[in-house]
Structure formats: structure tokens, C-alpha cells
Amino acid sequence: MFTDKMMMSPWDRWYSTRCCLCCHVRTGTIILGVWYMLINAVVLLILLTALNDPEKHHLTSAELANDLDVMDDANMCIASAISLLMILICGMATYGAYKLRAAWIIPFFCYQIFDFALNALVAVSIVVYPNTIQDYLQQLPDNFPYKEEVAALSNICLVLVVLLFIGCIIGFKAYLIACVWNCYRYVSGRGGSEILLYVTTNDTTVLLPPYDDNISVPCKQAPPSYISSEATA
């Protein structure tokens, strides 16, 4: 059994059709796609509302003690386009998981990889340049909640807390990436002509052929008919 596991590739070793302890990876991908669509739809609605009423939602430099405006109309239009694109990508992933279309899941998987890489770069930048946390705290407005308490902490303590927080986020995102990847493999296997099934017992691991191939294989020799057997007798 140990030899059979060593012969399996790492992708097959970590492959599972379950996620979150109880859900199927296909169901989990559908839920994840719908959740991302809802979040981006809310963000898009807020941005469109801010564009329609800039006097009410526009934050100026005087309010945030900064030299520049936080977001002008051009940046809001770009953010709205990105939110719309994200809704499209998440909708494609949801449709691909529901209709067993593996190619429709790839854009969402690529977005997850890109998001994971950005979070990893943030963690690396904090380790390399730990003073950036203090610089970021100084740029926050004076009425920001718990600004003085957080700024009073030591630099090492801030770095450890931020790294722990980002590490939890990165670990969770890696788990979601694995779920979507397993869903892609499951959908690809369902759509392909050959599906391999590993049945593991206490001693051996048996590779079964596809179920359709077993049905389609004809018998080597057809049994004699009842009439011919009676005539022979």
C-alpha cells in the first residue's frame, strides 16, 4: 500500500471531492462563485451610486488629511469596470461548475492565483520593510477607531500581528484554491471519456476501468439459445 501511494502523483495524492468537511467540491465552487458575485455586485452598486451623487459620497483631502483625493471619477469608473469583470468571471465559474464545463472555471481559478500572489507579496513586503505599517497608520485620519492604541504598540508586535492576520488569510485562500482546482479536475474527469477510479483497501489500491467501458465490452461467446439446446438433447 505504501508503494502504491508513492507511485501516485502529488496531484492525485491531495485530490479530494470534498471541501469544508461535508460539501462536494462542485457545490463548494458554486457557493463560492455566488458569494463573490454578491460581494462584487454590492461594490458595483456603491460605486455607481457614488458616481451618480458625487457631492454626497466623494471624500476630499480635507476629510482624510491627505494631499490627494481618495478616488476621483476616473478611478471610480475603473473600479466599476473591475467589479463588473469580476461578476462576469464569478458567473462563468458558477455556470461551469453547475453545467460541468471545465473551461469556464479557469478564469476564476486564475483570479484566485493572482489574488493569492498579491497577498503573499504584501506579507513579504511587511517582512522586508516593517516600517511601512507605522507609515500607513500615520496616514489614517485622526478619528479612525483605535488609531492611537494601535500606534502605541511596538514595531515588532505590529509586524507579528499583521503577519499572523495575513497568514490566516493566505491559508484560507490557498484552501479555496485547492477546492476550485479539485472541482476543475472533477468536472474535467466527468466530461472526459476516461474516468479512473481508485478503490483503496487495507492492503492494496485497485484501479478500476470506467463503468461505461464495462458495459460496452461484449461477451466473448454468446450462450447457446434455448431452442438449439433442446434440439440437441
Side-chain angles (χ1 to χ4, degrees), residues 17-18 31 66 74 76 80 83 109 111 122 145 178-179 183 197 199 206 214 222 227:
T17 57
R18 294 291 175 183
I31 295 175
N66 202 345
M76 294 181 69
S80 301
S83 299
F109 179 75
Y111 158 73
V122 170
C179 294
C183 178
L197 177 62
V199 177
V206 182
N214 292 332
I227 299 176

Side-chain angles (χ1 to χ4, degrees), residues 2-226:
F2 181 77
T3 306
D4 295 332
K5 287 186 177 181
M6 292 296 295
M7 294 177 62
M8 296 173 61
S9 63
W11 297 110
D12 294 331
R13 195 176 306 166
W14 292 102
Y15 174 70
S16 175
T17 57
R18 294 291 175 183
C19 64
C20 299
L21 302 178
C22 59
C23 293
H24 195 274
V25 289
R26 184 184 170 203
T27 305
T29 303
I30 293 174
I31 295 175
L32 185 62
V34 173
W35 173 250
Y36 270 81
M37 277 195 297
L38 291 177
I39 293 177
N40 287 277
V42 172
V43 173
L44 181 62
L45 181 61
I46 294 174
L47 291 174
L48 293 178
T49 305
L51 284 174
N52 291 331
D53 193 2
E55 297 294 335
K56 183 178 180 181
H57 298 88
H58 192 68
L59 299 178
T60 61
S61 58
E63 294 175 346
L64 294 180
N66 202 345
D67 296 335
L68 299 175
D69 290 346
V70 175
M71 183 174 290
D72 54 9
D73 293 340
N75 291 331
M76 294 181 69
C77 291
I78 295 174
S80 301
I82 293 175
S83 299
L84 186 61
L85 179 62
M86 283 302 307
I87 293 174
L88 178 61
I89 292 175
C90 298
M92 290 174 60
T94 305
Y95 177 81
Y98 180 73
K99 291 293 185 179
L100 299 178
R101 305 289 179 84
W104 291 66
I105 307 177
I106 295 178
F108 184 69
F109 179 75
C110 294
Y111 158 73
Q112 286 185 302
I113 296 296
F114 179 74
D115 186 35
F116 180 84
L118 285 180
N119 286 272
L121 287 177
V122 170
V124 172
S125 65
I126 292 176
V127 175
V128 177
Y129 303 103
N131 293 327
T132 54
I133 302 178
Q134 292 289 347
D135 296 337
Y136 177 76
L137 290 175
Q138 293 177 2
Q139 295 177 3
L140 293 176
D142 295 333
N143 56 354
F144 191 83
Y146 303 104
K147 177 184 177 181
E148 296 180 357
E149 290 79 359
V150 174
L153 296 175
S154 62
N155 197 15
I156 298 177
C157 183
L158 283 176
V159 171
L160 292 178
V161 171
V162 173
L163 285 180
L164 180 62
F165 180 73
I166 296 179
C168 294
I169 294 177
I170 290 177
F172 182 69
K173 288 181 180 294
Y175 180 76
L176 295 180
I177 290 174
C179 294
V180 175
W181 174 250
N182 288 334
C183 178
Y184 172 78
R185 293 191 60 190
Y186 172 79
V187 173
S188 300
R190 287 290 299 270
S193 58
E194 295 183 1
I195 305 175
L196 300 181
L197 177 62
Y198 287 93
V199 177
T200 304
T201 62
N202 294 329
D203 298 328
T204 59
T205 301
V206 182
L207 179 62
L208 299 179
Y211 177 74
D212 297 335
D213 294 347
N214 292 332
I215 297 178
S216 61
V217 173
C219 299
K220 294 182 179 179
Q221 183 178 0
S225 62
Y226 177 75

